[in-house]
Each structure stands twice: as structure tokens, then as C-alpha cells.
Amino acid sequence: MAIITLTTDFGEKDYFAGATKGAIYTELPDVRIVDISHSVSPFNILEAAYIIQNAYSSFPKGSIHIIGIDSEINKENKHIALKLDDHYFICANNGIMSMICSEITPEKIVEINIHDKIQSSFPVLDVFVKVACHIARGGTLEVIGKTISKIKPIRNVIPYVNDDKTQIIGSVIYIDNYGNVVTNIKRSFFETIQKGRAFEISARNHKFKKIYLKYSDIVNFDVPEEKRHDEGRGMVVFNSGNFLEIAVYKSNSATVGSASTLMGLSLMDTVSINFISESILPNIQL
């Protein structure tokens, strides 16, 4: 049984998500449809890229992923379908796939060319659904598009490193439901540049010298619970997607606040890491 996932900025109020599911079921009554998210910020390509990169690999091989962000077709925004890591992705060629493709090379990319057969002002419903159902039936990508070798890149996917490798400059690419601030600095990238050196992470006027592996590592469990004051403390962690994240322990914007609200951090804000010595002492709390 085929699995088709949906990642969009449609929200829950309008009919778009429901109509898309209905069109899929009309063509494939036995298909399984999974909502990854319909709450991507409108037209936010980086946010969508982060979500799909961290979600798709949890699905079985052969799953088909429709990404409906900034999908209106024009001469600068074509539609593409990719086979990558034994998964299929259908989206606009607007940079959404460049985050995944920076780590995994696609097996095949086609520029979708069936638009002359479809009258559409709603491409996710009219075009992406047709392509997804074609793939789910066992159809090949070449039937619905012409092979291309490159996709449109997106800015700010890869952090900047200065020439002497003493500084990484990254940016905020995602703010999660808890107000935690996710950067474009992955753990593997950080460790390649760090090479055991001590460091200082700066975000606005906040500085950190330690990276935790999980949120509760900030808690000293030897201290009696009634004497702890850890909720609301700022910290840096490698999150479940192995991205560097600035967080607040047990954050809640209505009570203790969040990294975004308390530190004034927004999308695309700069986060820098300065390596300050050649020390080989570990700076990750194990």
C-alpha cells in the first residue's frame, strides 16, 4: 500500500489540505495519506526544508512526499519530482530540496512537464496529486518530466567559515513549537571545524560555552528537586535532527518563556561560534 505524505503551509482553516486528500483518495482509494505538517509559515522555504529533511526518513522506502510551499508555477518557479534515498519528492524547484540534496545526491530529478494536459490554479491539487498517484501506481519519473541534473539552491543552507577556521557564522532557520531556535549548523559540520577546541557560541548578547546532548543534561539530579531552578535556563543542544539548537529548559512562552522570546531571536538571525583555544578538553556534556 502506497504512502503519500503532505507538507504544506495550508493551515487548518481553509479547504486546501482536505481537498488535496480528497483528490488523492479519488484516484487511489487504498492509499495511506500522512500529514507531516500543514503549519509551515506561509512561503517559508527554509522552514519546510528543515521539516521534511527531519521527517521523511522515518517513513518506509518508496514513500511519496508532496511538499506544497510556494508552488505556483511560473518561468522562475518550475515543478520537479525527485527520487532520493529511495523516496520520492514532488515540489516546486524553489530551493526546498537543496538542504536534503546537500547531504544526499538524488538518484533522478525531472522537471514536470504535464501542465499542458491540466488546467490548474491549484498546482498541489491538480499537478502534484497526479504525479504522486502516477508514482504510487508504479509509473516512472520520465513519463511525467524531462530529466535535469541540478536543482535551484537556497541561501543560508551551509554556514560560513572564515579562512583560518576560527569562526562559524550560522543563522536561525527554524523556531519550533516550544520556541527553541534551530540553526543551520549541523553537529558533523561543527565537529569537523572544531577539532577539539574550546568555543563560545554567541546569539545577540547571549553566550554559551557548552553543548548538551539532551535537554535534561542541564539538571543536577544530585540537588533535591525542591531546590532546583532549571526551568527557564538557557542552553545549547544538538537536537534530534543533529542541528545546533538554542533552547530554554522546559520552555513555555506563557510561563518561563522560550529561547525565541527571552533572547529576542528570530528567523535568519545570526548565530556565531568562535573557537578560542586549541584545548582538547571535551565541550559536549556527556
Side-chain angles (χ1 to χ4, degrees):
M1 183 181 296
I3 295 175
I4 298 177
T5 78
L6 300 175
T7 303
T8 76
D9 58 2
F10 293 162
E12 301 296 336
K13 178 180 179 179
D14 299 312
Y15 64 87
F16 306 125
T20 301
K21 293 178 189 179
I24 295 171
Y25 282 128
T26 297
E27 292 211 28
L28 295 173
D30 294 329
V31 74
R32 290 184 181 179
I33 302 174
V34 179
D35 298 302
I36 291 179
S37 177
H38 294 297
S39 299
V40 177
S41 301
F43 303 101
N44 194 316
I45 293 168
L46 264 176
E47 192 170 287
Y50 174 79
I51 290 171
I52 194 68
Q53 181 178 29
N54 287 287
Y56 89 88
S57 59
S58 294
F59 290 88
K61 300 290 188 180
S63 295
I64 303 159
H65 307 281
I66 292 176
I67 312 171
I69 311 292
D70 189 28
S71 56
E72 184 173 82
I73 191 166
N74 57 56
K75 65 181 182 180
E76 295 180 352
N77 199 39
K78 305 295 186 181
H79 294 157
I80 55 174
L82 302 82
K83 185 178 182 183
L84 180 150
D85 197 20
D86 289 327
H87 290 250
Y88 295 91
F89 301 85
I90 306 159
C91 58
N93 190 10
N94 54 17
I96 282 177
M97 290 302 298
S98 59
M99 187 179 290
I100 301 176
C101 292
S102 68
E103 298 186 348
I104 303 174
T105 302
E107 299 163 50
K108 187 176 292 293
I109 313 169
V110 300
E111 186 175 285
I112 298 169
N113 60 10
I114 63 172
H115 303 86
D116 58 337
K117 302 178 180 67
I118 300 172
Q119 294 290 328
S120 177
S121 60
F122 187 175
V124 174
L125 177 72
D126 301 321
V127 178
F128 292 4
V129 165
K130 294 289 186 187
V131 172
C133 292
H134 166 77
I135 296 169
R137 294 188 188 100
T140 62
L141 296 184
E142 290 85 353
V143 172
I144 50 86
K146 63 177 182 179
T147 301
I148 60 175
S149 59
K150 295 181 180 179
I151 62 170
K152 184 176 179 179
I154 188 172
R155 293 181 301 166
N156 303 308
V157 168
I158 300 174
Y160 167 81
V161 181
N162 65 356
D163 291 338
D164 59 4
K165 292 182 168 48
T166 58
Q167 184 181 59
I168 298 173
I169 299 177
S171 54
V172 176
I173 60 170
Y174 188 76
I175 298 174
D176 71 13
N177 190 53
Y178 300 94
N180 297 326
V181 174
V182 181
T183 75
N184 60 343
I185 303 169
K186 295 208 73 171
R187 181 176 180 179
S188 56
F189 184 90
F190 168 85
E191 291 177 344
T192 297
I193 305 301
Q194 181 200 15
K195 297 188 183 302
R197 292 177 292 177
F199 57 85
E200 183 175 76
I201 299 169
S202 300
R204 289 193 179 272
N205 60 337
H206 300 274
K207 299 185 184 300
F208 305 89
K209 295 183 178 180
K210 182 179 290 186
I211 302 173
Y212 295 91
L213 294 182
K214 60 181 187 292
Y215 303 100
S216 61
D217 282 344
I218 200 170
V219 179
N220 182 355
F221 289 100
D222 293 330
V223 175
E225 186 173 358
E226 65 275 9
K227 295 184 179 180
R228 298 177 199 156
H229 303 284
D230 298 303
E231 291 188 17
R233 287 177 61 193
M235 62 186 299
V236 177
V237 65
F238 284 121
N239 67 16
S240 59
N242 280 317
F243 285 81
L244 189 83
E245 176 183 298
I246 300 172
V248 163
Y249 182 61
K250 290 194 174 180
S251 59
N252 185 327
S253 58
T255 55
V256 298
S258 69
S260 176
T261 58
L262 293 176
M263 302 180 197
L265 294 170
S266 303
L267 289 172
M268 305 315 301
D269 280 354
T270 296
V271 175
S272 61
I273 304 174
N274 291 289
F275 298 101
I276 54 180
S277 78
E278 295 294 331
S279 171
I280 59 172
L281 294 175
N283 294 98
I284 297 176
Q285 183 78 15
L286 298 176

